[in-house]
Amino acid sequence: MASAANANLNAVRETMDVLLEISRLLNTGLDMESLSICVRLCEQGINPEALSAVIKELRKASESLKASENGAN
């Protein structure tokens, strides 16, 4: 039973490593933690396209805040 759990864990790690490599090739800017969260959300039924749109909007908002902070200094 422990060996089956280890095999499953290794498969999950390998899958995440492959997804991270694909993410890097596509220049998504997602780190392993963010990618893991996105995968879990998709597994829970979140629409991947909607998730992508939210991430893009959050990045725009973050860049806007950083630009306004730099302009205030």
Side-chain angles (χ1 to χ4, degrees):
M1 181 122 166
S3 63
N6 286 338
N8 188 32
L9 184 58
N10 287 337
V12 169
R13 285 184 182 148
E14 185 176 329
T15 300
M16 286 307 299
D17 287 342
V18 169
L19 288 174
L20 184 60
E21 185 60 28
I22 292 169
S23 175
R24 287 181 178 151
L25 290 171
L26 295 173
N27 295 317
T28 65
L30 296 173
D31 59 12
M32 181 61 92
E33 182 180 8
S34 300
L35 183 62
S36 295
I37 291 168
C38 290
V39 168
R40 279 184 262 148
L41 287 170
C42 290
E43 288 174 343
Q44 295 296 318
I46 299 295
N47 181 322
E49 291 179 19
L51 182 57
S52 173
V54 169
I55 291 170
K56 288 177 184 177
E57 287 299 316
L58 288 172
R59 285 184 177 163
K60 284 181 189 176
S62 176
E63 289 174 11
S64 178
L65 283 172
K66 287 178 186 176
S68 67
E69 286 177 358
N70 289 338
N73 290 333

